[in-house]
Amino acid sequence: MCKDVNEYLAKLRKELEGSDTALIQDALSDAEGHLRMALEDALSEKPRLSEIEAMTSIIEKYGNPKEIASAYRAIESRTSPTLAVSRTTETRSSWARFFGVLAEPKAWGAFFYMLLSSLTGLVFGGWALIAGIISFSTLVFIIGIPIFGLFLLSIRGIALLEGRIVEALLGIRMPRRSLFLDRNLSWKDMFMALIKESYTWKAWLYLALQFPLGLIYSLGILLLFVFSLSFIGSPVLELVFHIPLDLFGDDVFTPVWFLPVVCAAGFFLLPLTFHLARWVGKVHGKYVKSMLVRA
Amino acid sequence: MSPFTDANKKFQKELNSGTAALVLLSILASADEPMYGYRIAKLMEVDEENVPMMKQGALYPVLRSLEGSGLLESHVDPSISGPPRRYYKITESGLEILKSWTQIWDQTKSFVDGILKGKADV
């Protein structure tokens, strides 16, 4: 039997070994929140009760670590992230697979994630860098300690939000519950816990790096997308509307005999762009998971 | 200890896996305001008599799964006395599906009751 909340959490973490790290973080967060609230209620209702006695009765109702781990695994296996790919056997031809990417929600999700990442990179990364420097520089004064602590808390909140965007658009399972600090700790211990936890710094680093990375993602994917569409539309643009292709500032009228080739290149470049987006989404998903999941 | 303890637990678990979502939707549909997991669990504790219908810890993944399906929506509020709380509220589609699931439940219940009482035409 577990004598306190921390021991219960350690056992639950052990039972969940091998599961998705985001699921472990959610399960631990749910359990910690519930058990601490229940313990507080139990001890305020019956002050003479020892913590071990209270925990025994609480765990009886909440479920032991083994039961809870099994409940999380069972439900998780039935609910995958929105855009997660089903593991069905691929029976389409190579051509169908190449062009079929345009009908895949996951490729579109990754495409929109890359487009959006310049905005989120700018806002989240800008906050991580600018507010980080300002709040860090206030540490020379006593008042700077709570300011820097609040900044680090905001980083964890933003990291959770970024995780939700990643899960919605890239279909990668990310934590759905925020991490919290034990309210029984003193302000000083809370601040030290924030500083000592590697998750805080990994989240900060991730958000700061999103600033340049988001710009690269957005610009790259936007350029490829615009080129694809302008190549596809080049016969109509040039012959009907007399609009030349604008290649890096130079207006170029394509010879008429070459227009079908440019148009065909556009039809190839478009799915290629979405294959690239899907691949970047997959790689970014692994990267984000290694940075923004604590468990 | 009853010789059927394990079998009973397994049967209860199988029943729970189907009914937990219905129970949670129903509780949130009749709630006047959004509720957080611990409060829902306490409410179910009051309603139960002898055997707890399900372990309180198993409610949380069901709540999250219902939210993922768009049947519930949630927001997090900080709490003075403890960790931040996630408040759940039923959505329009949650209310619609609750009606349909309640009908299915009524049909299933009357079918099983009929069989158990030996009144069904089988």
Side-chain angles (χ1 to χ4, degrees), chain A residues 228 230-236 258-269:
Chain A
S228 310
S230 57
F231 283 0
I232 291 169
S234 61
V236 178
F258 198 62
L259 278 174
V261 179
V262 175
C263 184
F267 274 110
F268 270 95
L269 190 58

Side-chain angles (χ1 to χ4, degrees), chain A residues 30 34 41 60 62 177, chain B residues 38 55-57 60 64 88:
Chain A
D30 289 340
H34 185 103
D41 277 2
E60 176 67 27
Y62 188 78
R177 294 288 176 275
Chain B
Y38 180 68
K55 294 293 179 187
Q56 293 175 336
Y60 291 89
R64 184 180 308 128
Y88 289 94

Side-chain angles (χ1 to χ4, degrees), chain B residues 25-89:
Chain B
L25 282 181
S26 173
I27 287 176
L28 287 165
S30 51
D32 298 329
E33 54 187 12
M35 290 171 80
Y36 54 93
Y38 180 68
R39 205 176 140 208
I40 298 172
K42 291 297 277 182
L43 195 75
M44 287 172 71
E45 198 179 301
V46 172
D47 284 346
E48 91 198 15
E49 293 201 346
N50 297 318
V51 184
M53 196 196 86
M54 65 187 299
K55 294 293 179 187
Q56 293 175 336
L59 295 176
Y60 291 89
V62 182
L63 284 169
R64 184 180 308 128
S65 145
L66 291 171
E67 188 189 5
S69 315
L71 305 178
L72 299 180
E73 58 190 20
S74 75
H75 68 274
V76 179
D77 271 355
S79 154
I80 304 163
S81 58
R85 291 168 181 167
R86 183 168 289 272
Y87 288 81
Y88 289 94
K89 185 184 162 195

